[in-house]
Amino acid sequence: MQKLGDYKLPQFFNYPPYFTLQPVRDTREKQVQLWKEMIVDYCRTQKIFVIGLEDDFPLFSNPVIQRFLSHEAREVFLSALVSDGRAEWLDKGHRKCLILWHRIQDWAEIVLQFVKDNGLEDSVMTVEEIRSGIESRGTELHGVDRTVLMRALKLLENKGKLAIFKGTSADDEGVKFSV
Amino acid sequence: MGNNRLFETATLTSSGRPVFLPNEVECQLLSNVDLEAEEESSSLFSLQSGLLILTTHRLLWFSSSSSSSAAPPVSASIPLASITHIFSPKKSIKSIFTSHRIRFQVTATDSRSVVIKVVVRGKVDWDGFLGNVWDCWRGRAWESFDTSERPCASGGLYGTDGSVRMVGVAGILRKEQEMWETTDKSLQDAFQDLNALMSKAKEMVMLAEKMRQKLLSGSSTQTSSTNEDEIGSKEEMHDWLLSVGIVSPVTKESVGALYHQQLLRQLADFVRNPLERAGGMINLIDIYCLFNRARGTELISPDDLMQACSLWQKFDVPVMLRKFDSGVMVIQNKSHSDEEIFNRIRAVVKKSEALRAGISASDAAITIGIAPAMAKEYLLSAESKGLLCRDISPDGFRFYINLFPNIDSLDVYLEMRASSKKWPLMVEQKWWRGGGQS
């Protein structure tokens, strides 16, 4: 049986029709909404940033009732999230999806808050430090997906809150805050 | 041309007509006929292009000798009694294009058994001729009348002066023959008229086609302002065509010919019983079979059935044709209400078994009491109304009561337990106690 960690699955996860793409419009709308919320919620609590459509994403199947989502259904639900702006396709073939359980602007806010909380208004940090350094522990920034973080930083850069530059080591980039 | 030694010759009267035996009646005369005799695939003789006369007693063949011919007229007389076997003609594609032929097994005068082949060229009522041959041969007229009829004087059909006498049984036969001939002639004439009529009908059909084209093109190009006029003249057109007896070309709009009107009424009467037996709704295909079986002959085509059923809506009949989204077509009573069936479905899917495992079309059919194909249609219809939702899995195509509207997103949580099969029952308690969700 697949581990779902400490995540509390909603009741309707055991309702077989939940796993069949409904053709009737009203029913479908409700179904899509439920799936969207569940996916975002699960990803937020489990800190999952990327879902691969062909992977064994735990939510997509329920061994208890022996049902699983078809590929088509998965794509429908994830595309709905993309339309909402809560996800993005990472490839044209729609095989990998980036889940933005915080929107990019939310992440930007979180970074700003992080900077303020740690008195980093004028300092310099590497990107890696932001996401895995000591300061980040206990915050949402800890372990954040690098792509997501970069996007948030770029957003802040456009607003003039910081500047991104290539660091001394080839791998990493640095950030100069000017909050 | 060989010599005919196998058969007797036939004698002619002074006017070239054959001399008939007592009670012999002429049945049919054919011209341009060849007569060939074969024995073991070798030709014994062959008489070409002569006159063949079939009588009740004999097959007579005369050469159509021209006056300048030096050769004496040849003839052959084959008694029907000597025919031992008539070979059935082989019907093949070739036989359509070649001349007609028929073969007999005959005992010749020298007691040999030979095969005679009669070849008829040109247009002739071949089936009629064959029929006559069989009739005459089977009739065995030479036996029945041999000893009986001995009319006075010369006896037989012909009087001493050669004129035909209408006496006795022979006379009756002769009369019949003549009647037959006159009927035949009048039929021929009638058919001539019919041919003329047919050619006229062709013109009519062409005219109707032109009209139809005009109507159809007219209806597609007209702007809305002139629609009224168009419709008016269209009506006139339909009426006119209908009065001529041609079914209106734009069939969807018109009432159709009288045939369809009668048919649809008959059909409406007929379907009442099967409808009752089937619980108010019956597949169109089933009706097609039942109706045709009941008719026995004069079966109706699927198109006629469709036509008739489609016209029901224009007439005051208590039944109607209904087409489901899936394309399945059924006949149902006008008074039939879907609501009643939906209520039954609702009741079924709320049972604990159905809450857990849903229902399939066959389950529904059994519990609700309708045909499985109909059950599927109803379930799909209920689904489209939001009453049910579907579950497709390796277990099959099943339906559950639609709980999606009742789910308050993620508000209510359950801890994931191994025995989560309790959930549907908990649902039952939560939802149904809450005051009849339906």
Side-chain angles (χ1 to χ4, degrees):
Chain A
M1 190 167 133
Q2 296 198 325
K3 273 197 71 135
L4 283 154
D6 54 356
Y7 184 72
K8 288 180 189 166
L9 284 167
Q11 280 179 310
F12 53 83
F13 195 67
N14 282 346
Y15 180 51
Y18 191 55
F19 287 83
T20 301
L21 204 53
Q22 296 298 319
V24 177
R25 198 186 55 172
D26 291 342
T27 318
R28 163 81 69 105
E29 276 173 20
K30 190 61 186 282
Q31 183 188 30
V32 167
Q33 186 209 338
L34 292 175
W35 271 104
K36 281 195 300 190
E37 286 175 12
M38 192 171 76
I39 291 171
V40 168
D41 195 51
Y42 182 75
C43 289
R44 176 177 38 241
T45 57
Q46 308 297 307
K47 288 217 166 190
I48 292 173
F49 290 90
V50 177
I51 295 177
L53 239 73
E54 267 123 52
D55 298 343
D56 276 338
F57 187 60
L59 285 189
F60 288 162
S61 64
N62 184 347
V64 173
I65 57 168
Q66 294 186 332
R67 297 285 187 271
F68 57 91
L69 281 181
S70 67
H71 185 99
E72 187 198 354
R74 295 175 193 199
E75 204 178 325
V76 165
F77 300 140
L78 290 174
S79 299
L81 274 177
V82 171
S83 310
D84 276 3
R86 305 230 66 159
E88 283 172 12
W89 290 113
L90 290 174
D91 64 325
K92 272 209 166 44
H94 291 193
R95 280 191 305 269
K96 284 208 182 310
C97 194
L98 181 71
I99 309 295
L100 300 168
W101 33 271
H102 280 315
R103 294 174 203 280
I104 299 290
Q105 44 269 52
D106 299 336
W107 284 112
E109 286 300 314
I110 292 169
V111 168
L112 282 181
Q113 192 60 43
F114 170 77
V115 165
K116 288 188 181 129
D117 289 346
N118 290 286
L120 300 163
E121 282 86 347
D122 283 316
S123 32
V124 174
M125 249 187 152
T126 66
V127 172
E128 202 50 40
E129 275 176 325
I130 297 173
R131 63 187 287 267
S132 55
I134 303 169
E135 292 90 344
S136 69
R137 292 221 189 108
T139 72
E140 288 196 284
L141 283 177
H142 192 77
V144 68
D145 182 82
R146 206 190 150 86
T147 323
V148 172
L149 181 59
M150 286 309 299
R151 298 263 296 271
L153 293 175
K154 288 223 172 68
L155 186 66
L156 288 171
E157 191 181 41
N158 290 340
K159 286 191 182 159
K161 302 281 185 187
L162 52 86
I164 306 171
F165 56 91
K166 263 260 183 260
T168 45
S169 70
D171 304 320
D172 210 358
E173 281 146 305
V175 180
K176 162 89 173 72
F177 297 109
S178 36
V179 175
Chain B
M1 283 278 263
N3 273 332
N4 171 20
R5 298 259 160 73
L6 297 168
F7 299 102
E8 287 174 358
T9 55
T11 42
L12 289 171
T13 65
S14 52
S15 21
R17 289 280 297 157
V19 174
F20 288 108
L21 302 169
N23 308 314
E24 189 181 28
V25 177
E26 180 184 332
C27 281
Q28 192 161 2
L29 187 149
L30 298 172
S31 62
N32 205 4
V33 177
D34 296 354
L35 198 71
E36 294 165 23
E38 310 156 11
E39 187 186 44
E40 283 162 337
S41 76
S42 66
S43 181
L44 294 170
F45 71 79
S46 151
L47 304 170
Q48 310 248 332
S49 259
L51 225 62
L52 184 79
I53 299 182
L54 170 71
T55 74
T56 49
H57 288 56
R58 298 176 292 169
L59 260 177
L60 303 169
W61 187 92
F62 301 95
S63 61
S64 347
S65 50
S66 56
S67 50
S68 61
S69 164
V74 184
S75 65
S77 161
I78 303 169
L80 293 182
S82 67
I83 296 179
T84 48
H85 182 72
I86 302 180
F87 295 96
S88 335
K90 287 188 288 259
K91 278 212 166 105
S92 67
I93 302 289
K94 240 180 35 171
S95 65
I96 299 171
F97 300 110
T98 58
S99 45
H100 302 292
R101 47 198 69 204
I102 182 172
R103 285 154 72 233
F104 317 100
Q105 184 117 29
V106 174
T107 315
T109 45
D110 55 352
S111 305
R112 272 197 292 178
S113 183
V114 291
V115 173
I116 298 287
K117 184 157 77 175
V118 173
V119 180
V120 180
R121 302 178 198 288
K123 239 177 160 181
V124 73
D125 178 18
W126 185 241
D127 289 320
F129 175 63
L130 282 180
N132 284 336
V133 167
W134 277 93
D135 286 349
C136 290
W137 186 54
R138 281 213 209 95
R140 306 193 79 82
W142 53 92
E143 288 172 358
S144 344
F145 300 112
D146 257 351
T147 50
S148 47
E149 271 296 319
R150 275 283 166 227
C152 53
S154 54
L157 202 55
Y158 285 89
T160 43
D161 55 346
S163 64
V164 179
R165 288 169 26 155
M166 296 287 186
V167 290
V169 183
I172 296 171
L173 278 177
R174 188 78 197 146
K175 269 209 200 94
E176 250 185 67
Q177 172 80 1
E178 280 186 4
M179 205 160 63
W180 181 82
E181 278 169 1
T182 38
T183 316
D184 189 43
K185 177 133 200 331
S186 60
L187 275 176
Q188 297 269 14
D189 292 342
F191 272 111
Q192 293 300 336
D193 291 340
L194 198 61
N195 283 335
L197 191 65
M198 289 294 273
S199 59
K200 282 281 175 241
K202 255 193 216 157
E203 288 174 28
M204 298 294 275
V205 169
M206 272 179 4
L207 191 64
E209 254 309 301
K210 277 195 210 138
M211 293 286 176
R212 185 174 88 98
Q213 292 302 334
K214 197 143 169 263
L215 281 172
L216 287 178
S217 68
S219 60
S220 60
T221 56
Q222 277 299 351
T223 57
S224 53
S225 54
T226 48
N227 247 0
E228 301 266 339
D229 295 350
E230 262 297 307
I231 291 170
S233 62
K234 261 205 240 175
E235 294 280 356
E236 276 178 46
M237 206 67 70
H238 292 161
D239 288 343
W240 178 76
L241 286 171
L242 203 60
S243 69
V244 177
I246 299 170
V247 175
S248 171
V250 188
T251 45
K252 278 196 193 112
E253 297 167 26
S254 78
V255 174
L258 198 63
Y259 167 71
H260 284 121
Q261 288 184 35
Q262 292 307 306
L263 181 64
L264 70 91
R265 290 190 194 282
Q266 187 188 53
L267 192 64
D269 285 332
F270 175 79
V271 299
R272 273 153 76 238
N273 268 343
L275 262 185
E276 241 181 81
R277 280 199 307 267
M281 186 181 280
I282 188 164
N283 205 325
L284 194 65
I285 297 172
D286 293 341
I287 280 296
Y288 171 75
C289 295
L290 289 172
F291 192 54
N292 272 333
R293 201 183 298 160
R295 286 194 126 201
T297 60
E298 286 182 35
L299 309 182
I300 63 168
S301 69
D303 278 341
D304 284 337
L305 181 66
M306 268 293 297
Q307 183 94 351
C309 294
S310 319
L311 290 174
W312 275 340
Q313 58 191 351
K314 298 215 168 110
F315 287 80
D316 188 21
V317 290
V319 286
M320 57 181 272
L321 180 70
R322 175 179 175 179
K323 185 171 178 175
F324 284 102
D325 292 332
S326 59
V328 168
M329 290 204 266
V330 299
I331 294 173
Q332 67 179 49
N333 282 315
K334 265 190 187 149
S335 58
H336 173 94
S337 130
D338 282 347
E339 268 317 304
E340 209 259 310
I341 303 275
F342 288 147
N343 286 336
R344 284 194 243 171
I345 291 175
R346 211 177 275 124
V348 169
V349 292
K350 282 186 189 172
K351 295 208 166 71
S352 58
E353 187 56 43
L355 279 177
R356 189 159 46 95
I359 56 168
S360 68
S362 33
D363 295 337
I366 295 166
T367 42
I368 294 171
I370 49 181
M374 297 298 104
K376 180 96 181 265
E377 291 305 323
Y378 272 117
L379 292 174
L380 289 171
S381 189
E383 182 196 27
S384 68
K385 285 193 169 20
L387 174 62
L388 303 175
C389 54
R390 61 174 62 180
D391 166 48
I392 300 174
S393 74
D395 294 339
F397 196 131
R398 302 182 78 84
F399 291 90
Y400 286 72
I401 186 139
N402 185 8
L403 293 174
F404 282 103
N406 303 339
I407 299 172
D408 298 325
S409 14
L410 299 173
D411 289 348
V412 183
Y413 281 86
L414 233 199
E415 223 170 275
M416 182 76 167
R417 281 193 281 253
S419 58
S420 293
K421 287 216 165 135
K422 269 197 209 166
W423 175 68
L425 298 175
M426 296 184 67
V427 165
E428 193 179 24
Q429 287 158 21
K430 179 190 190 316
W431 304 141
W432 310 144
R433 255 191 225 152
Q437 303 277 0
S438 57

